[in-house]
Amino acid sequence: MFSLFVIISLILGVFILIAYWKVYEKAGRQGWEGIVPIYREYVLSQITGKPIWWFLFIYLFPPVGIILLIVMNIELANRFGKSTAFGLGISFINIVFIPILAFGDATCRGPRGFNNPDVLDSDLI
């Protein structure tokens, strides 16, 4: 029974790493940047346009860092044309929401889709 749990955990872990790889590629970054611990959050701060000190706070001040990471996940969702609720889903149930971003038809649209002719204002509400 324990070995089955380990095998399933490894399969899910590899699946999530592949999903992060795809999301970072869709965001215009190298795929490997999405699977390296700590560096992933540094790159996420760049993708979401947040200052570098946000990345530092995630690890230096965890209570504040959790809130900042949630905000960055919401911004990540917005850049892919998804809602704030989807961003919260990334934060709390990423095993479901990251693969949706990775393998779905969502494309990175830039900051909240603004200044992007492919995104209508009605899409952002």
Side-chain angles (χ1 to χ4, degrees):
M1 188 57 118
F2 179 74
S3 62
L4 179 64
F5 175 76
V6 170
I7 291 170
I8 291 172
S9 296
L10 287 174
I11 291 170
L12 285 175
V14 169
F15 178 68
I16 288 297
L17 289 177
I18 292 168
Y20 269 109
W21 186 291
K22 289 288 293 176
V23 168
Y24 275 59
E25 282 183 340
K26 282 183 168 186
R29 302 298 302 222
Q30 298 290 321
W32 65 266
E33 293 175 316
I35 65 172
V36 177
I38 300 175
Y39 186 63
R40 174 176 51 209
E41 284 75 22
Y42 169 73
V43 175
L44 181 62
S45 70
Q46 293 178 334
I47 291 171
T48 58
K50 301 302 180 198
I52 190 64
W53 61 265
W54 280 42
F55 159 72
L56 297 173
F57 266 59
I58 290 171
Y59 291 101
L60 297 177
F61 305 103
V64 175
I66 290 170
I67 295 167
L68 296 179
L69 193 56
I70 291 170
V71 171
M72 287 194 321
N73 285 332
I74 291 170
E75 181 61 29
L76 179 67
N78 289 331
R79 287 183 184 240
F80 276 88
K82 302 292 185 182
S83 67
T84 298
F86 194 93
L88 291 172
I90 293 173
S91 297
F92 297 107
I93 317 170
N94 72 350
I95 198 166
V96 172
F97 287 88
I98 287 295
I100 291 172
L101 272 187
F103 304 114
D105 59 355
T107 57
C108 191
R109 301 175 174 185
R112 294 191 179 272
F114 295 118
N115 300 323
N116 187 335
D118 296 332
V119 180
L120 302 174
D121 289 336
S122 61
D123 293 339
L124 302 172
I125 299 175

